[in-house]
């Protein structure tokens, strides 16, 4: 069964990792998919080609989600190209880890701007389209770290906790227009973002996960598929952990 037939989705930060898999699973389920990337231009262009095989409309955009003007332009371009927008997955994210005593102002600002301000930018622009349509689903990518904190990630944890407060507020504001907003909170997922971590640190984390393993991008993509589809039509303002039981 194709769960997103006839719907148009935007996935931010889809050149690799979790976002890439979300774009793939959505196209597989019949969605027309717009997606963004920033520095990984070749990977973004390759994904656009690859997703053509599912037979839906797919287009990649080079767009910096942390920039308000670019987000607004992106949504205008998508509506001009696709005609509408039903689903937004705010997935773009970065880490710039360091203990508080060594964390620079720049590392704080960069992480807050890319992970949190981006969600304001894209959601504000996209909600205008959804309000006219009187339907829509926002899925915002947080992290278990946004719920429980993590030493060395004060900037990242603050951005991911902010996403939860933002999403719950938007769910309350836009619910009467039939627009839902939910959060996915992944635990430890194997991607380029986590490839940089020390093997011993990873082994320690995995030992503490009830399912005793890290997750795959597909695990997160399937949770997004549920929240994007009508299967979750009475679910809004929620945080769905995809973490092997970590939380
Ligand atoms: N992996 C995990 O264990 C884990 C756990 C919890 C939450 N998450 C969250 O899940 C999301 C995806 O993580 P991932 O592991 O897939 O990371 P990843 O492999 O590093 O991919 C990050 C994606 O974000 C894009 N991006 C970064 N800055 C951007 C910007 N300013 N504008 C637009 N796109 C931008 C990157 O595009 P370019 O490469 O083209 O710049 C890339 O496509 C992030 O929000 C992350 O915080 C991940």
């Amino acid at each position: 069964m194709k769960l997103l037939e006839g719907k148009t989705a935007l996935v931010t930060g889809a050149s690799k990792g979790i976002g890439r898999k979300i774009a793939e699973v959505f196209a597989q389920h019949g969605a027309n998919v717009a997606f963004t990337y920033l520095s990984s231009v070749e990977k973004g262009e390759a994904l656009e080609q690859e997703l053509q095989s599912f037979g839906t409309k797919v287009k990649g955009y080079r767009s910096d989600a942390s920039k308000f003007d670019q987000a607004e332009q992106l949504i205008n371009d998508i509506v001009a190209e696709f005609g509408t927008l039903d689903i937004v997955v705010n997935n773009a994210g970065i880490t710039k880890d360091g203990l508080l005593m060594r964390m620079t102002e720049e590392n704080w600002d960069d992480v807050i701007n890319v992970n949190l301000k981006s969600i304001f930018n894209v959601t504000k622009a996209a909600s205008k389209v959804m309000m006219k349509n009187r339907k829509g689903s926002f899925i915002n990518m947080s992290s278990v770290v946004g719920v429980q904190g993590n030493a060395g990630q004060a900037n990242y944890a603050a951005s991911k906790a902010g996403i939860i407060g933002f999403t719950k507020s938007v769910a309350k504001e836009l619910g009467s227009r039939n627009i839902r907003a939910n959060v996915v909170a992944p635990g430890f997922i194997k991607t380029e973002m986590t490839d940089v971590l020390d093997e011993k640190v990873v082994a320690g984390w995995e030992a503490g996960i009830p399912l005793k393993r890290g997750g795959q991008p597909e695990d997160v993509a399937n949770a997004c598929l549920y929240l994007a589809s009508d299967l979750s039509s009475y679910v809004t303002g929620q945080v769905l952990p995809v973490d092997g039981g970590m939380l």
Side-chain angles (χ1 to χ4, degrees), residues 17-18 26 32 41 45 101 132 146 152 169-170 181 208 220 224 231 234:
I18 293 170
F26 279 16
N32 297 317
V41 177
E45 289 172 355
M101 287 304 139
K132 268 195 210 139
S169 304
V170 166
V220 181
C224 293
L231 288 180
Y234 201 51

Side-chain angles (χ1 to χ4, degrees), residues 51-212:
L51 295 186
Q52 303 298 337
S53 64
F54 295 109
T56 63
K57 190 175 173 75
V58 175
K59 192 167 167 58
Y61 296 83
R62 188 166 190 215
S63 178
D64 185 342
S66 70
K67 302 281 190 302
F68 187 81
D69 294 350
Q70 289 191 33
E72 209 163 44
Q73 185 63 49
L74 170 72
I75 300 300
N76 289 340
D77 291 348
I78 291 170
V79 172
E81 183 75 32
F82 290 79
T84 191
L85 184 58
D86 306 296
I87 300 156
V88 172
V89 185
N90 280 307
N91 167 78
I94 57 168
T95 52
K96 292 206 171 175
D97 297 351
L99 294 171
L100 178 60
M101 287 304 139
R102 287 196 217 118
M103 188 174 287
T104 62
E105 184 185 1
E106 193 187 357
N107 286 355
W108 171 269
D109 287 345
D110 286 351
V111 168
I112 296 295
N113 286 337
V114 175
N115 294 6
L116 182 58
K117 188 179 177 220
S118 63
I119 297 198
F120 164 73
N121 296 341
V122 175
T123 305
K124 188 170 161 69
S127 61
K128 288 179 198 153
V129 184
M130 292 184 185
M131 280 166 80
K132 268 195 210 139
N133 294 344
R134 293 207 159 249
K135 61 175 177 157
S137 175
F138 287 104
I139 299 154
N140 296 333
M141 202 59 69
S142 179
S143 164
V144 293
V145 166
V147 179
Q148 62 186 13
N150 193 27
Q153 290 197 305
N155 51 358
Y156 185 77
S159 73
K160 295 300 185 181
I163 288 170
I164 295 174
F166 176 84
T167 308
K168 284 177 178 278
S169 304
V170 166
K172 288 186 172 169
E173 282 186 33
L174 301 183
S176 62
R177 307 291 180 104
N178 193 29
I179 299 168
R180 300 182 295 111
N182 290 287
V183 168
V184 171
F188 175 68
I189 309 295
K190 291 175 179 168
T191 68
E192 278 183 36
M193 186 179 271
T194 49
D195 272 353
V196 297
L197 297 169
D198 183 81
E199 267 179 42
K200 279 188 191 152
V201 173
V202 171
W205 279 0
E206 285 181 342
I209 297 171
L211 289 182
K212 300 293 170 204

